[in-house]
Every structure is written in structure tokens, then in C-alpha cells.
Amino acid sequence: MMPIPLSWWLTVSAALFSIGVYGALSRKNAIGILMGIELVLNAVNINLVAFWRYIAPTDISGQVFAIIVITVAAAEAAVGLAIIIALYRRRQTAVVDDLDLLKN
Amino acid sequence: MPIEIPTLNIAALTPFLAVTVTAFVVMFFELFVNDKRILGYLSLLGLAVAAISSVMLLGVSPAPAFQEMAISDGYALVLNLIFIVTAALSILISLSYLGDRALQRGEYYALLLFSTGGMMLMGAATDLIVVFMGLEIMSIALYVLAAFNRRKMGSGEAGMKYFILGAFASAFFLYGVALVYGATGSTNLSAIGNWFTSGGGDLTDPIALVGLSLLLVGFAFKIAAVPFQWWTPDVYQGAPTSVTAFMSVGAKAAGFAALVRLLMVSFGQAFTLDWQIAVAALAVVTMTGGNIAALAQKDIKRMLAFSSIAHAGYILVGVVPGTIDGVQAVLFYLMGYAFMNIGAFAVVAVLEHRVAISSAIEEYAGLAARKPLLAAAMLLFMVSLTGLPPFVGFWGKLYVFRAAVEANMSWLAVVGVINSAISAFYYLGVVVQMYMRPAAATEDGEEVVPISLSGPVTITLAVAVIITVILGIWPTPLVNLTSLAVFG
């Protein structure tokens, strides 16, 4: 059985990164933007674990880092959703284009 | 097989622990205490402990802590003092500002302390994992603080904008970390540095270079450098003024803290060979972009936001040479900036009285007649931010520009001086409003809102004025302090 080369993992990760960035930039809804950002973070995790396996398998820091990223992403999503809900109660919208009180 | 117990060297992180433990204590007592101001004073006590332990650690030779994850070298400890000053002055503003708006809550102070702890971690981190954790501890607390004033429309909007763009920048930063890890096989800053110098690493390795660029993007966002500055004016304007004061100095200093250590320790040679010009370009566009945008502003918080972008540019001038003199000039600048900028925001916090989003510069008209001392304090901060002697802002600029000249980049210093001249227009515009324009005539029946100065914010103003003047006349103590900032 042929082992999967590192470049395949990196390609998947780069594709996921691009999809996430596209989503975050093109979505108007704050929840949609948050989903795009989560995709980018998952791309990071694929990279970290793949690099750990192929480049530095003796040292577990790549794996540990991936777990830390998952934890922090959860904390970030919790805070972000709380802010979105607080704003939705006040303004009845989660569409970022409607948030135009603060501008030049 | 015997289990090897690692040496942690917990003592090295005493300042961070003091701040974090105080934050938990504040959250606990929030349940029992009715007058939440007590929690603010408790936070100040915790910060004082952190400051004392930082000063005491300055005398100890630094040892790596937590398996080379962090270190309390002179650089980290001087930065700790900058963060502590920023947090303490902001808490004093908050004690007055939040009380006036019925926002006095315990979790505010806990979040502010957590954020300060995250900043300290960024300054002390010697591993990209810890840099990331510090960055997130700081940022997540700041997202909530920016959205803290739930009664005001603009505050939630500021929190949301800060969160979305901050999370996006963190994701970029992380992708950069992953690529650097892949290229070098380590997340430790010195190990990355060794890979470049002796480990067979190549300065043209594409993965490492793309990783470094993404790391720079992440940091440029946190320090509000052009072209990653769009969020700054909106967030600074919408957030409660006490929070704006805190993050305008603290988040910027923390971003610089990790950026400078990364560039100096990990990318030392790669940085001075290939990347100097990129950071110099970033400095030039940041200074110029910030200053030109600030000229057009009618709201003082937006004006100060754009001016803080310009100041990030001046500080980047000190980063460009990649010398220890430049690093110490950066720290001098940041410490001076903490006093003068938070002082300016303290004046804004005192004067900001309307419920709607407005802190228009026009409302400062005639202030000199109504409140001569407050107007004089604002005058002093504005002159110091412009960079005129005899105030601390002058010396800050002098030292960063001198570092650039000594590294044979005089053109960068020239651009900086021209930019300081541009900044005089908008800073002195505030002074003109205060001293030369009469107050807007009030119609019959319209009450003039009294300007109330309560105790804590007065202390902030007094401290900021005194330090700005004393360090302006006699900068030696701060020069001596920053000269202790060396990498361990």
C-alpha cells in the first residue's frame, strides 16, 4: 500500500484554507463569517498534525498545538456567538452590512 | 521506568500569576460585594503585586520556565511594567466612567485583568504555542470588553467588528505558525532561529517565507498597521472609552512584544537580510496612512484611533533596524505612549456625556474657559503626542528615529519627522477648539451639562500629566529602565 505523501495533506489543507477565507470574505451574515473562520482553523489543524507526522514525529508539540487550537476555537466561538446574540437582541440583525453606526 | 519530573520554574511567571489569580478572586467576590468599585481597587492591588514581583525579578538572572515555553528576561519584565501601568491607569478611568453609566460590574475588572495576563504571556513567550495562547487570552477578553456597554448601540457593533476581524487575523496567524512549524520542525523560537543559522535551514525556503508573511499579517492586525487597520477607528469609537484607552496601548504593546521577539530571536538573520525593507515599507505606509486619515476626522475618538495607527508606524521605525538599541527605543516609546495616550483618553472619558455616539471635536470649543485645568492637561497630551519637547513623546520619537539613523536608514527617520509635522495639524486642531473657539451658544431652556470630575479619573489625569512632564524634562530613569530590556 502506498503511503499518502505529505503534499496531499498540504493540498487539502490549502484548499480548506481558501474555502474558509472565501467564505469569511463573501458572507454577509456574521454566523456565516464565523463558519468560514472555523474552516481556516481546521485547515491549520490538518497542517499541524500532518507536519507533526512527517517532519517532527519524535516531539508531540504539533499534536498538542492542534488540541490547543481546537480548545481556543471553541472559546472564541462561544464569545463570538454571545456578542452576535447580544447585538441581535438590540438591532434584530446579524448581517454585518447593517452595522453602519460607526463609520466616517 | 521512572517518570522524570520537569522543572517548571514557576517563580519566573509570578507577575502573570499574580494578575490571573487576582482576576479569579475578583470574579469570586463579585458574588458577595454590592459596591463593585471595591473590586476595581482589588484589581489595582493585584497589579501592584505584579509590578513589585516584576521589579524584583529584574535582579535575578533569567532562567527558562515551563520547558522553555516562556522566560522572564529583562525584555519581558519591562514589558510587564508597561502592561501594568496601562491596566492600572485604565482601571482608574473605569472606576469613574463606568459609575457614571451604571455599568459598574465585577466581571469588567476580571476581564481587564485576564487581558493584561494574556499580554504578559505574549511578552514572556519563547514558543509560538504560548504566543498564540497569550494572543487569544488577551483578544477574547478584549472582544467582550469592547461590547461591554450593552445599552449603547455602538458598543455591541464595535465588539462584533473587533471579534470578526480579530478572529480572522488569528486564523491567518495560526496558518503562519503551522507553516513555520512545518518548515523548521519546531515551534520554539530559539529552535527556529537555530534552524535558520546552523540547522541547514534556507532563507529562501518557500514554506518558511509564506509562514513568516502570514505571521506578519497577524501581528500587523494586532498593532493596527496599514493595510490591516480598518477595524481600528470603528472599534475605538464604539467601545467604552475606558476600554479604548486600555486596548489602544495594551494590545498594541503586546503585539509589538511578540513581534519583536519573534523577529529578533527566530528570524534574526533572515530579518536583517531580506525583511527589513518589508517592515520599513509597513512603517512608512502606516505612519502616512494614519496621519492623513486623522486629518479628516471630526470625532475625537476616531481621530485618536487614526493617530494610534500613526504611532504604530513610528514604533515600527524602531523595529526596522533589528538592533537591541532599536528594541529599547521601542519600549521607551511604548511606556511614554501609555501615559500620554491614556491621559488623552481620560480627558475624553470625562467630557463624553451624551448617550448617542458622539465625542465630536467641536464640543471641545470653549473648554479652556469652562475647565482651565482639564484643557491644560489635554493641551499637554496633544503636544506630547505630536512629539514636541519638553514632553516624553519627544524623547520617544527621538530614540526610535535615532535607532533608524544608526542603522543607515536615515530616510526612514526623515519620513517619520515629516509625518510628525503632519500630525501637528490635527493634534493642535483640538487645542485651537479648546482655546480659541467660543463655546456653542445654548438655546433658552437647554441646560449646560456639567462636567463632573470624580476622584479616580483625576488620579489618572494627575499621574499622566506628572509623568509626561517629568520624563520629558528628565528621561534618564526610563532610559535606564529600558536599558535592562535584553533577551535572555
Side-chain angles (χ1 to χ4, degrees), chain B residues 315-329:
Chain B
I315 301 171
L316 276 172
V317 171
V319 177
V320 169
T323 56
I324 195 72
D325 286 344
V327 172
Q328 289 167 356

Side-chain angles (χ1 to χ4, degrees), chain B residues 17 42 46 62 73 81 126 134 154 156 207 228 230 241 262 292 308 320-321 362 366 378 400 406 417-418 447 454 485:
Chain B
L17 292 173
L42 190 66
D73 52 5
L81 293 176
T126 53
I207 294 183
F228 307 100
W230 338 272
T241 307
L262 179 79
I292 289 175
S308 89
V320 169
E362 285 170 7
M378 193 61 167
V400 290
E406 281 173 358
V417 172
I418 294 171
E447 278 183 52
S454 56

Side-chain angles (χ1 to χ4, degrees), chain B residues 13 47-48 53 65 83 123 157 169 205 237 248 263 276 295-296 305 308 361 374-375 378 391 408 419 446 462:
Chain B
L13 288 183
L47 288 170
S53 56
F83 300 140
E157 186 176 327
D205 186 281
Q237 186 189 2
S248 70
L263 289 179
Q276 219 167 20
L295 286 173
S308 89
I361 295 177
L374 200 61
M378 193 61 167
F391 301 114
N408 289 324
N419 265 291
E446 193 187 341

Side-chain angles (χ1 to χ4, degrees), chain B residues 180-236:
Chain B
V180 170
Y181 171 63
T184 63
S186 175
T187 50
N188 187 286
L189 295 185
S190 349
I192 295 170
N194 290 339
W195 181 80
F196 273 114
T197 49
S198 55
D202 189 347
L203 295 180
T204 54
D205 186 281
I207 294 183
L209 289 185
V210 172
L212 177 56
S213 346
L214 289 173
L215 289 179
L216 272 182
V217 170
F219 282 122
F221 177 87
K222 286 295 163 199
I223 61 175
V226 177
F228 307 100
Q229 88 297 3
W230 338 272
W231 58 278
T232 318
D234 288 2
V235 174
Y236 281 21

Side-chain angles (χ1 to χ4, degrees), chain A residues 76 90-91 99 101 104, chain B residues 136 151 153 157 177 302:
Chain A
E76 207 169 51
R90 196 89 171 77
R91 306 267 283 267
L99 304 175
L101 273 177
N104 280 323
Chain B
E136 289 299 308
R151 286 185 193 78
M153 292 279 211
E157 186 176 327
V177 173
R302 287 187 86 83

Side-chain angles (χ1 to χ4, degrees), chain A residues 37-85:
Chain A
I37 294 168
E38 295 292 323
L39 278 186
V40 176
L41 293 177
N42 285 331
V44 171
N45 284 340
I46 292 180
N47 254 353
L48 283 172
V49 176
F51 279 134
W52 163 74
R53 180 70 179 76
Y54 286 84
I55 306 272
T58 51
D59 177 2
I60 59 162
S61 65
Q63 267 190 331
V64 172
F65 204 165
I67 291 171
I68 289 175
V69 171
I70 293 169
T71 318
V72 171
E76 207 169 51
V79 165
L81 289 173
I83 292 173
I84 292 170
I85 289 172

